[in-house]
Tab-separated table of all heavy atoms in Angstrom:
chain	number	residue	atom	x	y	z
A	4	MET	N	-35.275	23.859	0.221
A	4	MET	CA	-34.296	22.865	0.697
A	4	MET	C	-32.884	23.335	0.367
A	4	MET	O	-32.541	23.539	-0.790
A	4	MET	CB	-34.573	21.519	0.035
A	4	MET	CG	-34.116	20.356	0.917
A	4	MET	SD	-34.736	18.786	0.297
A	4	MET	CE	-33.242	18.176	-0.482
A	5	VAL	N	-32.125	23.540	1.381
A	5	VAL	CA	-30.745	23.975	1.182
A	5	VAL	C	-29.817	22.785	1.374
A	5	VAL	O	-29.604	22.328	2.487
A	5	VAL	CB	-30.354	25.115	2.156
A	5	VAL	CG1	-28.939	25.586	1.864
A	5	VAL	CG2	-31.342	26.279	2.047
A	6	GLU	N	-29.361	22.288	0.266
A	6	GLU	CA	-28.439	21.162	0.378
A	6	GLU	C	-27.078	21.579	-0.146
A	6	GLU	O	-26.910	21.799	-1.346
A	6	GLU	CB	-28.961	19.956	-0.397
A	6	GLU	CG	-28.349	18.679	0.116
A	6	GLU	CD	-28.804	17.446	-0.673
A	6	GLU	OE1	-29.634	17.586	-1.585
A	6	GLU	OE2	-28.291	16.378	-0.382
A	7	LYS	N	-26.149	21.692	0.754
A	7	LYS	CA	-24.794	22.052	0.363
A	7	LYS	C	-24.120	20.853	-0.289
A	7	LYS	O	-24.419	19.720	0.043
A	7	LYS	CB	-23.971	22.444	1.602
A	7	LYS	CG	-24.174	23.908	1.978
A	7	LYS	CD	-23.075	24.379	2.908
A	7	LYS	CE	-23.065	23.647	4.239
A	7	LYS	NZ	-22.062	24.153	5.166
A	8	VAL	N	-23.248	21.150	-1.188
A	8	VAL	CA	-22.428	20.068	-1.722
A	8	VAL	C	-21.400	19.752	-0.646
A	8	VAL	O	-20.441	20.474	-0.451
A	8	VAL	CB	-21.733	20.477	-3.041
A	8	VAL	CG1	-20.837	19.355	-3.537
A	8	VAL	CG2	-22.779	20.836	-4.088
A	9	SER	N	-21.703	18.711	0.109
A	9	SER	CA	-20.847	18.385	1.247
A	9	SER	C	-19.480	17.897	0.777
A	9	SER	O	-19.355	17.317	-0.296
A	9	SER	CB	-21.509	17.332	2.121
A	9	SER	OG	-21.793	16.200	1.336
A	10	GLN	N	-18.520	18.167	1.622
A	10	GLN	CA	-17.177	17.712	1.312
A	10	GLN	C	-17.168	16.200	1.301
A	10	GLN	O	-17.702	15.570	2.193
A	10	GLN	CB	-16.213	18.204	2.395
A	10	GLN	CG	-15.593	19.549	2.066
A	10	GLN	CD	-14.474	19.844	3.040
A	10	GLN	OE1	-14.633	19.653	4.228
A	10	GLN	NE2	-13.364	20.297	2.536
A	11	HIS	N	-16.585	15.668	0.296
A	11	HIS	CA	-16.484	14.214	0.284
A	11	HIS	C	-15.171	13.792	-0.368
A	11	HIS	O	-14.465	14.597	-0.958
A	11	HIS	CB	-17.673	13.599	-0.461
A	11	HIS	CG	-17.601	13.784	-1.935
A	11	HIS	ND1	-17.996	14.937	-2.563
A	11	HIS	CD2	-17.154	12.969	-2.916
A	11	HIS	CE1	-17.802	14.808	-3.867
A	11	HIS	NE2	-17.290	13.639	-4.099
A	12	THR	N	-14.889	12.520	-0.205
A	12	THR	CA	-13.687	11.987	-0.822
A	12	THR	C	-14.069	10.674	-1.502
A	12	THR	O	-15.239	10.341	-1.579
A	12	THR	CB	-12.579	11.800	0.249
A	12	THR	OG1	-11.389	11.378	-0.387
A	12	THR	CG2	-12.972	10.791	1.315
A	13	HIS	N	-13.111	9.960	-1.986
A	13	HIS	CA	-13.439	8.724	-2.674
A	13	HIS	C	-12.742	7.526	-2.050
A	13	HIS	O	-11.618	7.644	-1.561
A	13	HIS	CB	-13.057	8.835	-4.164
A	13	HIS	CG	-13.864	9.858	-4.887
A	13	HIS	ND1	-15.082	9.569	-5.461
A	13	HIS	CD2	-13.660	11.175	-5.082
A	13	HIS	CE1	-15.577	10.669	-5.999
A	13	HIS	NE2	-14.733	11.664	-5.779
A	14	CYS	N	-13.431	6.413	-2.073
A	14	CYS	CA	-12.889	5.172	-1.534
A	14	CYS	C	-11.566	4.849	-2.238
A	14	CYS	O	-11.480	4.914	-3.466
A	14	CYS	CB	-13.891	4.041	-1.755
A	14	CYS	SG	-13.274	2.427	-1.299
A	15	HIS	N	-10.563	4.509	-1.451
A	15	HIS	CA	-9.241	4.237	-2.031
A	15	HIS	C	-9.218	2.978	-2.885
A	15	HIS	O	-8.313	2.785	-3.682
A	15	HIS	CB	-8.200	4.092	-0.918
A	15	HIS	CG	-7.885	5.411	-0.264
A	15	HIS	ND1	-6.762	5.580	0.500
A	15	HIS	CD2	-8.525	6.594	-0.284
A	15	HIS	CE1	-6.742	6.829	0.949
A	15	HIS	NE2	-7.791	7.472	0.491
A	16	ILE	N	-10.206	2.116	-2.698
A	16	ILE	CA	-10.226	0.854	-3.432
A	16	ILE	C	-11.122	0.942	-4.657
A	16	ILE	O	-10.705	0.689	-5.768
A	16	ILE	CB	-10.662	-0.298	-2.506
A	16	ILE	CG1	-9.659	-0.490	-1.354
A	16	ILE	CG2	-10.844	-1.600	-3.278
A	16	ILE	CD1	-8.243	-0.866	-1.763
A	17	CYS	N	-12.392	1.292	-4.464
A	17	CYS	CA	-13.331	1.235	-5.588
A	17	CYS	C	-13.688	2.611	-6.158
A	17	CYS	O	-14.326	2.694	-7.197
A	17	CYS	CB	-14.592	0.479	-5.184
A	17	CYS	SG	-15.582	1.345	-3.960
A	18	GLY	N	-13.286	3.685	-5.471
A	18	GLY	CA	-13.509	5.018	-6.023
A	18	GLY	C	-14.880	5.600	-5.758
A	18	GLY	O	-15.211	6.667	-6.269
A	19	LYS	N	-15.705	4.903	-4.964
A	19	LYS	CA	-17.032	5.380	-4.631
A	19	LYS	C	-16.936	6.625	-3.758
A	19	LYS	O	-16.031	6.740	-2.945
A	19	LYS	CB	-17.772	4.279	-3.854
A	19	LYS	CG	-19.189	4.049	-4.319
A	19	LYS	CD	-19.710	2.766	-3.711
A	19	LYS	CE	-20.427	3.040	-2.399
A	19	LYS	NZ	-21.088	1.815	-1.887
A	20	ALA	N	-17.881	7.561	-3.947
A	20	ALA	CA	-17.900	8.765	-3.118
A	20	ALA	C	-18.279	8.394	-1.690
A	20	ALA	O	-19.256	7.686	-1.472
A	20	ALA	CB	-18.895	9.761	-3.676
A	21	ILE	N	-17.497	8.854	-0.748
A	21	ILE	CA	-17.747	8.556	0.661
A	21	ILE	C	-17.562	9.829	1.474
A	21	ILE	O	-16.949	10.778	0.988
A	21	ILE	CB	-16.813	7.436	1.180
A	21	ILE	CG1	-15.362	7.704	0.757
A	21	ILE	CG2	-17.282	6.072	0.700
A	21	ILE	CD1	-14.347	6.843	1.441
A	22	PRO	N	-18.071	9.875	2.706
A	22	PRO	CA	-17.921	11.097	3.505
A	22	PRO	C	-16.457	11.467	3.724
A	22	PRO	O	-15.598	10.596	3.814
A	22	PRO	CB	-18.577	10.730	4.849
A	22	PRO	CG	-19.458	9.577	4.551
A	22	PRO	CD	-18.808	8.838	3.426
A	23	PHE	N	-16.228	12.761	3.822
A	23	PHE	CA	-14.905	13.271	4.107
A	23	PHE	C	-14.412	12.646	5.401
A	23	PHE	O	-15.197	12.377	6.292
A	23	PHE	CB	-14.987	14.801	4.245
A	23	PHE	CG	-13.656	15.484	4.127
A	23	PHE	CD1	-12.940	15.429	2.952
A	23	PHE	CD2	-13.134	16.189	5.197
A	23	PHE	CE1	-11.714	16.070	2.837
A	23	PHE	CE2	-11.908	16.832	5.099
A	23	PHE	CZ	-11.202	16.771	3.917
A	24	LEU	N	-13.131	12.425	5.518
A	24	LEU	CA	-12.470	11.788	6.672
A	24	LEU	C	-12.513	10.265	6.620
A	24	LEU	O	-11.777	9.593	7.321
A	24	LEU	CB	-13.032	12.256	8.027
A	24	LEU	CG	-12.884	13.750	8.351
A	24	LEU	CD1	-13.596	14.070	9.657
A	24	LEU	CD2	-11.427	14.156	8.451
A	25	GLU	N	-13.399	9.710	5.796
A	25	GLU	CA	-13.372	8.265	5.602
A	25	GLU	C	-12.355	7.965	4.514
A	25	GLU	O	-12.039	8.814	3.689
A	25	GLU	CB	-14.738	7.762	5.149
A	25	GLU	CG	-15.855	7.988	6.143
A	25	GLU	CD	-15.887	6.925	7.231
A	25	GLU	OE1	-15.534	5.773	6.940
A	25	GLU	OE2	-16.259	7.259	8.357
A	26	THR	N	-11.832	6.746	4.510
A	26	THR	CA	-10.908	6.384	3.440
A	26	THR	C	-11.434	5.233	2.603
A	26	THR	O	-11.065	5.080	1.456
A	26	THR	CB	-9.522	5.996	3.993
A	26	THR	OG1	-9.690	5.061	5.053
A	26	THR	CG2	-8.768	7.211	4.508
A	27	LEU	N	-12.325	4.414	3.207
A	27	LEU	CA	-12.842	3.255	2.503
A	27	LEU	C	-14.343	3.154	2.744
A	27	LEU	O	-14.844	3.584	3.776
A	27	LEU	CB	-12.135	1.987	3.006
A	27	LEU	CG	-10.609	1.996	2.828
A	27	LEU	CD1	-9.952	1.025	3.773
A	27	LEU	CD2	-10.221	1.696	1.398
A	28	CYS	N	-15.073	2.585	1.786
A	28	CYS	CA	-16.539	2.631	1.860
A	28	CYS	C	-17.161	1.462	2.600
A	28	CYS	O	-18.237	1.578	3.157
A	28	CYS	CB	-17.117	2.741	0.458
A	28	CYS	SG	-16.893	1.256	-0.537
A	29	SER	N	-16.512	0.305	2.594
A	29	SER	CA	-17.168	-0.869	3.185
A	29	SER	C	-16.144	-1.820	3.792
A	29	SER	O	-14.937	-1.670	3.597
A	29	SER	CB	-17.955	-1.603	2.108
A	29	SER	OG	-17.069	-2.078	1.121
A	30	GLU	N	-16.661	-2.808	4.521
A	30	GLU	CA	-15.789	-3.823	5.111
A	30	GLU	C	-15.016	-4.565	4.024
A	30	GLU	O	-13.859	-4.911	4.199
A	30	GLU	CB	-16.618	-4.828	5.924
A	30	GLU	CG	-17.112	-4.268	7.243
A	30	GLU	CD	-15.983	-3.812	8.164
A	30	GLU	OE1	-15.005	-4.563	8.309
A	30	GLU	OE2	-16.066	-2.701	8.714
A	31	GLU	N	-15.702	-4.808	2.907
A	31	GLU	CA	-15.068	-5.521	1.803
A	31	GLU	C	-13.854	-4.755	1.298
A	31	GLU	O	-12.779	-5.305	1.086
A	31	GLU	CB	-16.092	-5.708	0.679
A	31	GLU	CG	-15.693	-6.779	-0.315
A	31	GLU	CD	-16.516	-6.699	-1.590
A	31	GLU	OE1	-17.720	-6.408	-1.504
A	31	GLU	OE2	-15.932	-6.928	-2.657
A	32	CYS	N	-14.038	-3.435	1.141
A	32	CYS	CA	-12.935	-2.608	0.664
A	32	CYS	C	-11.833	-2.529	1.710
A	32	CYS	O	-10.667	-2.470	1.370
A	32	CYS	CB	-13.435	-1.216	0.298
A	32	CYS	SG	-14.206	-1.171	-1.324
A	33	LYS	N	-12.222	-2.532	3.011
A	33	LYS	CA	-11.215	-2.523	4.072
A	33	LYS	C	-10.336	-3.756	3.980
A	33	LYS	O	-9.119	-3.679	4.107
A	33	LYS	CB	-11.898	-2.457	5.445
A	33	LYS	CG	-12.090	-1.026	5.909
A	33	LYS	CD	-12.889	-0.942	7.195
A	33	LYS	CE	-13.535	0.427	7.283
A	33	LYS	NZ	-14.550	0.489	8.329
A	34	GLU	N	-11.002	-4.909	3.764
A	34	GLU	CA	-10.254	-6.158	3.639
A	34	GLU	C	-9.311	-6.114	2.447
A	34	GLU	O	-8.152	-6.514	2.526
A	34	GLU	CB	-11.211	-7.343	3.488
A	34	GLU	CG	-11.488	-8.019	4.816
A	34	GLU	CD	-12.595	-9.056	4.708
A	34	GLU	OE1	-12.604	-9.821	3.719
A	34	GLU	OE2	-13.456	-9.080	5.600
A	35	ARG	N	-9.854	-5.634	1.328
A	35	ARG	CA	-9.028	-5.544	0.117
A	35	ARG	C	-7.842	-4.615	0.333
A	35	ARG	O	-6.734	-4.875	-0.137
A	35	ARG	CB	-9.880	-5.054	-1.056
A	35	ARG	CG	-10.684	-6.178	-1.670
A	35	ARG	CD	-11.652	-5.653	-2.689
A	35	ARG	NE	-10.988	-5.121	-3.883
A	35	ARG	CZ	-11.625	-4.505	-4.873
A	35	ARG	NH1	-12.923	-4.342	-4.810
A	35	ARG	NH2	-10.976	-4.060	-5.914
A	36	TYR	N	-8.108	-3.529	1.066
A	36	TYR	CA	-7.057	-2.557	1.347
A	36	TYR	C	-5.962	-3.188	2.206
A	36	TYR	O	-4.775	-3.022	1.932
A	36	TYR	CB	-7.660	-1.342	2.046
A	36	TYR	CG	-6.676	-0.239	2.308
A	36	TYR	CD1	-6.187	0.538	1.255
A	36	TYR	CD2	-6.231	0.018	3.598
A	36	TYR	CE1	-5.291	1.551	1.498
A	36	TYR	CE2	-5.331	1.032	3.842
A	36	TYR	CZ	-4.856	1.803	2.794
A	36	TYR	OH	-3.959	2.793	3.037
A	37	GLN	N	-6.388	-3.934	3.256
A	37	GLN	CA	-5.434	-4.604	4.136
A	37	GLN	C	-4.552	-5.563	3.337
A	37	GLN	O	-3.339	-5.624	3.540
A	37	GLN	CB	-6.163	-5.394	5.229
A	37	GLN	CG	-6.883	-4.526	6.244
A	37	GLN	CD	-5.947	-3.651	7.055
A	37	GLN	OE1	-4.842	-4.074	7.374
A	37	GLN	NE2	-6.368	-2.440	7.357
A	38	LYS	N	-5.176	-6.308	2.428
A	38	LYS	CA	-4.424	-7.259	1.599
A	38	LYS	C	-3.406	-6.530	0.731
A	38	LYS	O	-2.269	-6.972	0.560
A	38	LYS	CB	-5.384	-8.063	0.722
A	38	LYS	CG	-5.940	-9.269	1.447
A	38	LYS	CD	-6.887	-10.043	0.541
A	38	LYS	CE	-7.743	-10.984	1.371
A	38	LYS	NZ	-8.889	-11.486	0.589
A	39	MET	N	-3.849	-5.398	0.182
A	39	MET	CA	-2.975	-4.602	-0.681
A	39	MET	C	-1.763	-4.105	0.102
A	39	MET	O	-0.635	-4.153	-0.374
A	39	MET	CB	-3.771	-3.416	-1.236
A	39	MET	CG	-3.233	-2.847	-2.518
A	39	MET	SD	-4.286	-1.470	-3.056
A	39	MET	CE	-3.759	-0.198	-1.910
A	40	VAL	N	-2.024	-3.618	1.335
A	40	VAL	CA	-0.939	-3.110	2.183
A	40	VAL	C	0.046	-4.228	2.495
A	40	VAL	O	1.254	-4.033	2.437
A	40	VAL	CB	-1.524	-2.493	3.470
A	40	VAL	CG1	-0.442	-2.221	4.501
A	40	VAL	CG2	-2.273	-1.204	3.147
A	41	LYS	N	-0.499	-5.414	2.806
A	41	LYS	CA	0.349	-6.567	3.109
A	41	LYS	C	1.229	-6.911	1.917
A	41	LYS	O	2.427	-7.148	2.053
A	41	LYS	CB	-0.521	-7.772	3.469
A	41	LYS	CG	-0.500	-8.072	4.966
A	41	LYS	CD	-1.259	-9.350	5.241
A	41	LYS	CE	-1.934	-9.262	6.597
A	41	LYS	NZ	-2.892	-10.353	6.796
A	42	LYS	N	0.619	-6.932	0.736
A	42	LYS	CA	1.362	-7.254	-0.485
A	42	LYS	C	2.473	-6.241	-0.710
A	42	LYS	O	3.589	-6.590	-1.087
A	42	LYS	CB	0.408	-7.239	-1.687
A	42	LYS	CG	-0.007	-8.620	-2.129
A	42	LYS	CD	-0.762	-8.538	-3.433
A	42	LYS	CE	-1.639	-9.764	-3.620
A	42	LYS	NZ	-2.570	-9.606	-4.730
A	43	ARG	N	2.137	-4.963	-0.483
A	43	ARG	CA	3.115	-3.905	-0.688
A	43	ARG	C	4.290	-4.068	0.274
A	43	ARG	O	5.434	-3.893	-0.096
A	43	ARG	CB	2.447	-2.548	-0.494
A	43	ARG	CG	3.173	-1.445	-1.229
A	43	ARG	CD	2.502	-0.120	-1.016
A	43	ARG	NE	1.281	0.011	-1.799
A	43	ARG	CZ	0.465	1.056	-1.720
A	43	ARG	NH1	0.733	2.036	-0.890
A	43	ARG	NH2	-0.601	1.127	-2.466
A	44	LYS	N	3.968	-4.433	1.536
A	44	LYS	CA	5.017	-4.654	2.531
A	44	LYS	C	5.916	-5.797	2.102
A	44	LYS	O	7.139	-5.702	2.207
A	44	LYS	CB	4.377	-4.974	3.883
A	44	LYS	CG	4.231	-3.755	4.763
A	44	LYS	CD	3.793	-4.172	6.155
A	44	LYS	CE	3.262	-2.984	6.914
A	44	LYS	NZ	2.503	-3.405	8.105
A	45	MET	N	5.301	-6.878	1.637
A	45	MET	CA	6.059	-8.031	1.177
A	45	MET	C	6.990	-7.631	0.042
A	45	MET	O	8.144	-8.050	-0.014
A	45	MET	CB	5.112	-9.142	0.686
A	45	MET	CG	4.366	-9.845	1.795
A	45	MET	SD	5.451	-10.775	2.902
A	45	MET	CE	5.825	-12.179	1.855
A	46	PHE	N	6.476	-6.791	-0.854
A	46	PHE	CA	7.260	-6.329	-1.993
A	46	PHE	C	8.465	-5.524	-1.519
A	46	PHE	O	9.581	-5.700	-2.007
A	46	PHE	CB	6.373	-5.484	-2.913
A	46	PHE	CG	7.079	-4.988	-4.138
A	46	PHE	CD1	7.373	-5.870	-5.175
A	46	PHE	CD2	7.454	-3.664	-4.254
A	46	PHE	CE1	8.027	-5.415	-6.307
A	46	PHE	CE2	8.110	-3.209	-5.372
A	46	PHE	CZ	8.394	-4.085	-6.403
A	47	VAL	N	8.250	-4.659	-0.530
A	47	VAL	CA	9.342	-3.844	0.013
A	47	VAL	C	10.396	-4.740	0.648
A	47	VAL	O	11.594	-4.556	0.429
A	47	VAL	CB	8.797	-2.805	1.027
A	47	VAL	CG1	9.930	-2.120	1.775
A	47	VAL	CG2	7.947	-1.762	0.307
A	48	TYR	N	9.952	-5.750	1.424
A	48	TYR	CA	10.896	-6.679	2.040
A	48	TYR	C	11.690	-7.416	0.974
A	48	TYR	O	12.897	-7.583	1.092
A	48	TYR	CB	10.157	-7.691	2.922
A	48	TYR	CG	9.654	-7.121	4.220
A	48	TYR	CD1	8.407	-7.466	4.720
A	48	TYR	CD2	10.451	-6.236	4.959
A	48	TYR	CE1	7.940	-6.949	5.921
A	48	TYR	CE2	9.997	-5.710	6.145
A	48	TYR	CZ	8.734	-6.072	6.622
A	48	TYR	OH	8.273	-5.562	7.793
A	49	ALA	N	10.987	-7.852	-0.066
A	49	ALA	CA	11.642	-8.573	-1.157
A	49	ALA	C	12.715	-7.702	-1.797
A	49	ALA	O	13.817	-8.177	-2.118
A	49	ALA	CB	10.613	-9.005	-2.195
A	50	MET	N	12.424	-6.412	-1.958
A	50	MET	CA	13.394	-5.485	-2.541
A	50	MET	C	14.627	-5.353	-1.650
A	50	MET	O	15.754	-5.350	-2.131
A	50	MET	CB	12.753	-4.095	-2.741
A	50	MET	CG	11.771	-4.046	-3.895
A	50	MET	SD	12.500	-4.453	-5.496
A	50	MET	CE	13.352	-2.908	-5.838
A	51	TYR	N	14.393	-5.256	-0.330
A	51	TYR	CA	15.513	-5.165	0.606
A	51	TYR	C	16.403	-6.397	0.510
A	51	TYR	O	17.624	-6.294	0.482
A	51	TYR	CB	14.995	-5.023	2.042
A	51	TYR	CG	14.654	-3.609	2.441
A	51	TYR	CD1	13.420	-3.301	2.997
A	51	TYR	CD2	15.585	-2.581	2.276
A	51	TYR	CE1	13.099	-2.006	3.377
A	51	TYR	CE2	15.273	-1.289	2.647
A	51	TYR	CZ	14.029	-0.995	3.200
A	51	TYR	OH	13.720	0.272	3.569
A	52	ILE	N	15.763	-7.553	0.470
A	52	ILE	CA	16.506	-8.811	0.404
A	52	ILE	C	17.325	-8.863	-0.885
A	52	ILE	O	18.498	-9.237	-0.881
A	52	ILE	CB	15.535	-10.017	0.526
A	52	ILE	CG1	14.973	-10.061	1.960
A	52	ILE	CG2	16.232	-11.318	0.180
A	52	ILE	CD1	13.742	-10.937	2.111
A	53	LEU	N	16.700	-8.431	-1.980
A	53	LEU	CA	17.364	-8.424	-3.276
A	53	LEU	C	18.596	-7.517	-3.247
A	53	LEU	O	19.690	-7.907	-3.680
A	53	LEU	CB	16.374	-7.940	-4.345
A	53	LEU	CG	16.748	-8.258	-5.796
A	53	LEU	CD1	16.537	-9.744	-6.066
A	53	LEU	CD2	15.898	-7.435	-6.756
A	54	VAL	N	18.411	-6.304	-2.710
A	54	VAL	CA	19.517	-5.352	-2.619
A	54	VAL	C	20.635	-5.925	-1.746
A	54	VAL	O	21.813	-5.835	-2.085
A	54	VAL	CB	19.020	-3.985	-2.052
A	54	VAL	CG1	20.184	-3.082	-1.679
A	54	VAL	CG2	18.125	-3.300	-3.071
A	55	PHE	N	20.227	-6.556	-0.636
A	55	PHE	CA	21.200	-7.167	0.262
A	55	PHE	C	22.019	-8.225	-0.472
A	55	PHE	O	23.246	-8.275	-0.363
A	55	PHE	CB	20.469	-7.786	1.465
A	55	PHE	CG	21.388	-8.533	2.391
A	55	PHE	CD1	22.178	-7.839	3.301
A	55	PHE	CD2	21.466	-9.911	2.349
A	55	PHE	CE1	23.032	-8.518	4.154
A	55	PHE	CE2	22.316	-10.602	3.196
A	55	PHE	CZ	23.097	-9.911	4.106
A	56	PHE	N	21.342	-9.069	-1.253
A	56	PHE	CA	22.027	-10.127	-1.988
A	56	PHE	C	22.988	-9.552	-3.025
A	56	PHE	O	24.105	-10.048	-3.193
A	56	PHE	CB	21.016	-11.058	-2.667
A	56	PHE	CG	20.626	-12.206	-1.784
A	56	PHE	CD1	19.337	-12.323	-1.303
A	56	PHE	CD2	21.556	-13.178	-1.421
A	56	PHE	CE1	18.971	-13.370	-0.474
A	56	PHE	CE2	21.213	-14.230	-0.589
A	56	PHE	CZ	19.911	-14.326	-0.108
A	57	ILE	N	22.551	-8.514	-3.712
A	57	ILE	CA	23.406	-7.893	-4.733
A	57	ILE	C	24.654	-7.309	-4.075
A	57	ILE	O	25.775	-7.492	-4.556
A	57	ILE	CB	22.619	-6.822	-5.534
A	57	ILE	CG1	21.570	-7.511	-6.421
A	57	ILE	CG2	23.567	-5.984	-6.384
A	57	ILE	CD1	20.508	-6.572	-6.981
A	58	LEU	N	24.463	-6.616	-2.939
A	58	LEU	CA	25.593	-6.057	-2.204
A	58	LEU	C	26.531	-7.160	-1.732
A	58	LEU	O	27.754	-7.048	-1.852
A	58	LEU	CB	25.095	-5.237	-1.005
A	58	LEU	CG	24.578	-3.842	-1.306
A	58	LEU	CD1	23.991	-3.208	-0.057
A	58	LEU	CD2	25.680	-2.945	-1.872
A	59	ALA	N	25.953	-8.230	-1.201
A	59	ALA	CA	26.747	-9.361	-0.726
A	59	ALA	C	27.560	-9.950	-1.874
A	59	ALA	O	28.732	-10.281	-1.719
A	59	ALA	CB	25.819	-10.417	-0.131
A	60	LEU	N	26.928	-10.042	-3.035
A	60	LEU	CA	27.596	-10.588	-4.218
A	60	LEU	C	28.793	-9.728	-4.603
A	60	LEU	O	29.887	-10.231	-4.871
A	60	LEU	CB	26.584	-10.629	-5.372
A	60	LEU	CG	26.824	-11.713	-6.435
A	60	LEU	CD1	26.472	-13.074	-5.858
A	60	LEU	CD2	25.965	-11.418	-7.658
A	61	PHE	N	28.600	-8.399	-4.585
A	61	PHE	CA	29.691	-7.478	-4.918
A	61	PHE	C	30.822	-7.599	-3.904
A	61	PHE	O	31.996	-7.596	-4.270
A	61	PHE	CB	29.169	-6.033	-4.961
A	61	PHE	CG	28.626	-5.651	-6.300
A	61	PHE	CD1	27.289	-5.324	-6.461
A	61	PHE	CD2	29.474	-5.611	-7.416
A	61	PHE	CE1	26.774	-4.979	-7.706
A	61	PHE	CE2	28.969	-5.252	-8.661
A	61	PHE	CZ	27.603	-4.941	-8.807
A	62	LEU	N	30.459	-7.705	-2.628
A	62	LEU	CA	31.454	-7.843	-1.567
A	62	LEU	C	32.278	-9.100	-1.778
A	62	LEU	O	33.504	-9.075	-1.713
A	62	LEU	CB	30.766	-7.873	-0.200
A	62	LEU	CG	30.429	-6.505	0.397
A	62	LEU	CD1	29.584	-6.675	1.660
A	62	LEU	CD2	31.689	-5.728	0.719
A	63	VAL	N	31.604	-10.205	-2.055
A	63	VAL	CA	32.279	-11.480	-2.257
A	63	VAL	C	33.218	-11.384	-3.461
A	63	VAL	O	34.348	-11.842	-3.419
A	63	VAL	CB	31.239	-12.612	-2.458
A	63	VAL	CG1	31.922	-13.890	-2.955
A	63	VAL	CG2	30.514	-12.887	-1.147
A	64	GLN	N	32.744	-10.744	-4.522
A	64	GLN	CA	33.564	-10.611	-5.736
A	64	GLN	C	34.799	-9.749	-5.478
A	64	GLN	O	35.860	-10.004	-6.020
A	64	GLN	CB	32.719	-9.974	-6.853
A	64	GLN	CG	31.926	-11.015	-7.605
A	64	GLN	CD	31.154	-10.418	-8.768
A	64	GLN	OE1	30.887	-9.215	-8.781
A	64	GLN	NE2	30.812	-11.229	-9.722
A	65	SER	N	34.656	-8.705	-4.654
A	65	SER	CA	35.780	-7.813	-4.406
A	65	SER	C	36.812	-8.453	-3.481
A	65	SER	O	37.970	-8.078	-3.488
A	65	SER	CB	35.279	-6.499	-3.815
A	65	SER	OG	34.678	-6.717	-2.575
A	66	VAL	N	36.390	-9.453	-2.705
A	66	VAL	CA	37.309	-10.138	-1.798
A	66	VAL	C	38.204	-11.088	-2.582
A	66	VAL	O	39.409	-11.145	-2.384
A	66	VAL	CB	36.522	-10.885	-0.683
A	66	VAL	CG1	37.439	-11.858	0.053
A	66	VAL	CG2	35.931	-9.879	0.287
A	67	PHE	N	37.584	-11.828	-3.540
A	67	PHE	CA	38.378	-12.796	-4.303
A	67	PHE	C	38.988	-12.167	-5.551
A	67	PHE	O	38.341	-11.470	-6.283
A	67	PHE	CB	37.501	-13.988	-4.696
A	67	PHE	CG	37.040	-14.758	-3.474
A	67	PHE	CD1	35.745	-14.687	-3.032
A	67	PHE	CD2	37.958	-15.542	-2.734
A	67	PHE	CE1	35.317	-15.373	-1.897
A	67	PHE	CE2	37.547	-16.221	-1.619
A	67	PHE	CZ	36.227	-16.147	-1.199
B	105	ZN	ZN1	-14.951	0.933	-1.771
């Protein structure tokens, strides 16, 4: 029996070994991944808003 150590990668969520070219092992992990991406996007938006407010604050201070 010739069994090659096939190329594989690991699930981005739970770390389980999965076939190469896959990124996630199950529907559950896909859902978790989607939620994570959404949260990350929200965080990025929040950062933009924060930076915008800080800049606006500086602008207002420099005017008066
Ligand atoms: Zn997984």
Side-chain angles (χ1 to χ4, degrees):
M4 208 169 102
V5 183
E6 202 182 357
K7 275 197 297 183
V8 177
S9 57
Q10 269 190 315
H11 73 278
T12 184
H13 295 273
C14 174
H15 288 197
I16 297 298
C17 68
K19 225 168 92 173
I21 47 168
F23 197 64
L24 298 175
E25 298 278 327
T26 49
L27 301 158
C28 69
S29 63
E30 286 301 314
E31 198 195 322
C32 280
K33 269 174 204 167
E34 265 171 43
R35 279 172 68 186
Y36 183 72
Q37 292 296 324
K38 275 180 197 165
M39 204 179 76
V40 168
K41 254 186 213 169
K42 258 189 202 169
R43 204 180 284 176
K44 265 189 196 165
M45 288 295 285
F46 181 74
V47 170
Y48 286 139
M50 286 300 283
Y51 276 128
I52 291 164
L53 198 73
V54 168
F55 176 79
F56 270 114
I57 290 165
L58 281 174
L60 208 73
F61 273 116
L62 277 172
V63 168
Q64 274 184 338
S65 63
V66 167
F67 295 107

